[in-house]
Amino acid sequence: MIWSVEKPKNEMERLIDYTPGSSERDELINELNTIKGEVIEVPLIINGEKIKTGEIKEVHCPHDHDKVLARVHLAGKDELNMAIESALNSHGCWSELNWYHRAAVFRKAADLLAGPRRFRNIAAIMMNQSKNPYEAEIDLAELVDFWRLNSYYMNFIYKQQPDQIEGEMNRLDWRPLEGFVLAISPFNFYSIAGNLPSAPAIVGNTVIWKPSLNVSFSNFEIMKILMEAGLEEGVINFVPFASEISGLITKHPDLAGLNFTGSYETLVHLWKVINSNIENYRNFPRIVGETGGKDFVFIHKSADIKNAALNIIRGSFGYQGQKCSASSRVYCPESMWGRLEDTLKREVSKIPCGPVDDLRSYMGAVIDEKAFDDITDYIKYAEENEDCTTVLGGKSDSTKGWFIEPTIVKTDDPRGKMMSEEIFGPVVTIYLYDEEEYEETLKLCDQTSPYSLTGSIFSKDSHVTHLAERVLRYSAGNLYINDKPTGAVVGRQPFGGTRHSGTNDKAGYWTNLLRWMNPRSIKETILPAEDWRRKFMVE
Ligand code: NAD
C-alpha cells in the first residue's frame, strides 16, 4: 500500500499554561492529589505480562523524601533471560507487520498522551522528577513529538530507494536490526525515556527497556500508554533492574544495539563491556549514546546584556540545572559584568524554590541524595577555592527534599574544575574576559571542556557571530544565537553532541532511526542471460 505521513505539527506549540482559574489547573491539582494519596506497585512488563518479583525498590518524591510514590519490582537474572527471550520471539511478527500499522500504535500513544492521559502524566512527572508544570509540559510534549515525528521520518527513510535501469529492478528492504535492542534511559527526561525504546521499536526492532530506577514511577506511565495504544506483547519489555546484573544482557550474543542516554562514565563502561565481548555477538552491536555537557554561553561586547542575563537564568536554573544542555559556564566581557551581575542578582533572587506541587515554585528539588551531595560538593569547592567567588546562592537544605539554591560563581581560572566539569545542578560559573581578546577566548572556550553538546553566542554583530560559529564549529552539536542553549524542539533543532557528549545521532530525527535499520539491497534481473561471454571475446 502506498501511503504518506504528513509532517506533524509540534505539540510544543500547544503547551498548557495552567493559569490560575483555568480548568486545566483544577484537573492537574486533582491528579497531583491522587498521586499524593497512593503508593502504586510497578511490575515488570515482559511479553505483555505483569511480573512481580518481590525484590522491591521504593521510589521517593525528590521534594518530599517521606512520600513514597511507588514500590518497583526489580528483575533478577531469571527475568532478564525471560525478557531477552520475549524480545527475540516477538521480532518476527513485529518486524513483518506493515510499517503503517507500527506507526499507528505510536500515533495512538501520542494522541492518548496529548489528550486523555495528559494530566495524569504531567502530575507524575512533577512528583517523580520534581519539575514545575511548564517543565513537565515541555517534557511530555517532547514525547508526543518523538512519537509523531518518528512515524514521519520512518516513512521518509522507506521512500529512499536506489536507482533503476532498464532490465533490472532495485530495491532497499529497510529491515530492522537482527536480535534485540537494549534501551537504557536517564532520570531527567521522561520524553527521552519514552523515546529510547520507541525509536528502535517503530522501525521493527524489539526492545528491552531499563528505566532509571529513580523515575520508574513516571516511566511506568509511559509503558501503560504504549500498552493501551495496542503495542504488541514483547515488543518493548519494561524491565527495571539493578545495574550490577546488566552484563547478562550486554554480553548476550543477540544484542543488536544499545540505545543509551546518561552520563559519559556509564556509556564508557557499557562500551568497554561490549568491546571486550565483541567476538561473541552475531552482529556488531550498534551503539547510540548521548551523554553529558558543559554547555557555554558566550557573550560578545555587542550583545543585548539583559537578553543574555534572562537566558542564562532560564538556561542554568530551569529544572534545577539538571539538563544535559543546561548553561553552566559563561564567558562575559569584563566591561559588561557590572550590568550582567546586577540583572542576575536582581532576577535570580526572585526565583521561588520549593515543592513543585505548590504551583508558585519555579525550581524544585534535585533528584536524589547522591545528586545533592555531588552538587553541594562543587559549591563547597567553589567556596574554598581562592580562584572562585560565590556571587549568589550556595545554600542547600535536605530536611524535607533535596533543595539547592540557584548558585552563581565567578572564577579567575578559565580552565578550572568549575568551567570544565559537568555539575548537573543549579550552578553556573562565570569567567570575565578582556573584550580585546574575543577570538582567543573563543578558542579557550573550545578547548576547556571535553564535552561538546550545546552552547550559545550572544551578539548583535553578524561578523562576530560568524567568527564564533567558525571557531566553535566542533564545540557544540547544538549551537544557539541570542538564545539559551536548552529547549531543543523535535524536528526543529535535532539534538545531540560529540566529543564526550555522545555519538550525535540526533534523537527524534531520521538520522537516529537509520541507526536501528539494517538495509538489504535486492536486485531483480528482468531479462534472462543469453550468454556467459563478454563482448570483448567475440571474434
Ligand atoms: P547515569 O549514567 O547515572 O544513568 C543513566 C542510566 O544508566 C540509568 O538508567 C542507570 O540506571 C543506568 N546505568 C548506570 N550504570 C549502569 C550499568 N553498569 N549497566 C546498565 N545500566 C546502567 O545518568 P543519569 O544520572 O540518569 O542522567 C544524567 C546524565 O545523563 C547527565 O550526564 C546528562 O548530561 C546525561 N543526559 C544526556 C542527554 C543527551 O541527550 N545528551 C539527555 C539527558 C541526560
Side-chain angles (χ1 to χ4, degrees), residues 184-188 192 210-212 243 246 260-263 266 269-270 290-293 324 422 424 453 495 501:
I184 300 184
S185 52
F187 80 83
N188 65 335
I192 295 176
K210 180 208 172 300
S212 166
S243 302
S246 63
F260 173 83
T261 300
S263 63
T266 307
H269 166 77
L270 294 169
E290 302 302 334
T291 60
C324 51
E422 181 179 55
F424 220 60
L453 191 53
F495 188 80
S501 294

Side-chain angles (χ1 to χ4, degrees), residues 422-473:
E422 181 179 55
I423 299 175
F424 220 60
V427 182
V428 62
T429 306
I430 300 178
Y431 171 70
L432 307 185
Y433 73 94
D434 177 349
E435 62 200 37
E436 300 308 317
E437 293 178 5
Y438 175 62
E439 188 167 352
E440 292 77 351
T441 316
L442 287 173
K443 287 183 187 154
L444 176 74
C445 172
D446 173 59
Q447 290 157 9
T448 297
S449 157
Y451 295 105
S452 169
L453 191 53
T454 72
S456 303
I457 305 159
F458 284 85
S459 134
K460 283 194 210 151
D461 178 337
S462 316
H463 293 282
V464 301
T465 306
H466 178 73
L467 177 64
E469 272 189 41
R470 189 164 60 72
V471 178
L472 301 174
R473 186 145 191 235

Side-chain angles (χ1 to χ4, degrees), residues 39-45 51-60 68-76 128 209-221 238-242:
V39 181
I40 67 157
E41 280 204 44
V42 173
L44 315 173
I45 304 287
I51 294 175
K52 295 185 177 174
T53 60
E55 183 69 34
I56 299 290
K57 151 104 179 135
E58 284 186 347
V59 177
H60 292 252
V68 177
L69 296 166
R71 300 175 75 246
V72 180
H73 290 260
L74 298 183
N128 198 172
W209 171 23
K210 180 208 172 300
S212 166
L213 299 184
N214 272 332
V215 293
S216 26
F217 167 68
S218 67
N219 284 194
F220 183 56
E221 294 293 322
F238 176 83
V239 192
F241 63 86

Side-chain angles (χ1 to χ4, degrees), residues 171-183:
R171 282 179 283 142
L172 273 182
D173 168 15
W174 287 104
R175 302 172 300 183
L177 307 182
E178 191 186 14
F180 68 88
V181 172
L182 172 62

Side-chain angles (χ1 to χ4, degrees), residues 206-401:
T206 52
V207 183
I208 295 171
W209 171 23
K210 180 208 172 300
S212 166
L213 299 184
N214 272 332
V215 293
S216 26
F217 167 68
S218 67
N219 284 194
F220 183 56
E221 294 293 322
I222 301 173
M223 192 63 207
K224 287 200 293 196
I225 288 177
L226 287 169
M227 291 193 293
E228 188 180 350
L231 187 69
E232 276 179 25
E233 291 156 4
V235 173
I236 294 179
N237 298 280
F238 176 83
V239 192
F241 63 86
S243 302
E244 293 71 40
I245 56 170
S246 63
L248 199 150
I249 303 187
T250 48
K251 292 184 184 166
H252 193 281
D254 287 306
L255 177 75
L258 169 68
N259 200 9
F260 173 83
T261 300
S263 63
Y264 167 79
E265 291 74 18
T266 307
L267 179 62
V268 169
H269 166 77
L270 294 169
W271 203 304
K272 282 183 183 166
V273 171
I274 292 171
N275 265 0
S276 65
N277 193 50
I278 199 71
E279 286 165 329
N280 298 326
Y281 300 110
R282 291 180 74 201
N283 289 275
F284 290 103
R286 301 266 173 95
I287 302 179
V288 170
E290 302 302 334
T291 60
K294 184 70 184 176
D295 311 294
F296 60 84
V297 166
F298 203 107
I299 305 171
H300 181 257
K301 65 181 178 188
S302 65
D304 172 341
I305 197 68
K306 183 179 168 204
N307 183 39
L310 299 182
N311 278 291
I312 290 169
I313 295 171
R314 284 189 165 166
S316 303
F317 304 129
Y319 188 38
Q320 298 80 264
Q322 296 174 115
K323 299 186 187 184
C324 51
S325 53
S327 41
S328 65
R329 54 183 167 133
V330 174
Y331 298 81
C332 174
E334 279 162 1
S335 61
M336 295 178 107
W337 171 235
R339 279 181 294 154
L340 182 66
E341 185 182 19
D342 285 351
T343 316
L344 288 176
K345 279 186 168 165
R346 189 178 60 246
E347 297 301 325
V348 173
S349 58
K350 294 179 197 161
I351 296 178
C353 304
V356 290
D357 46 318
D358 173 347
L359 300 191
R360 291 167 301 186
S361 303
Y362 177 81
M363 278 174 61
V366 300
I367 194 70
D368 62 10
E369 185 170 12
K370 180 176 180 311
F372 181 87
D373 290 346
D374 289 350
I375 300 162
T376 49
D377 279 353
Y378 277 100
I379 294 174
K380 265 185 230 132
Y381 169 87
E383 274 161 7
E384 287 162 10
N385 191 290
E386 57 184 24
D387 291 323
C388 298
T389 316
T390 304
V391 177
L392 199 71
K395 294 201 197 72
S396 54
D397 181 357
S398 60
T399 330
K400 186 145 175 70

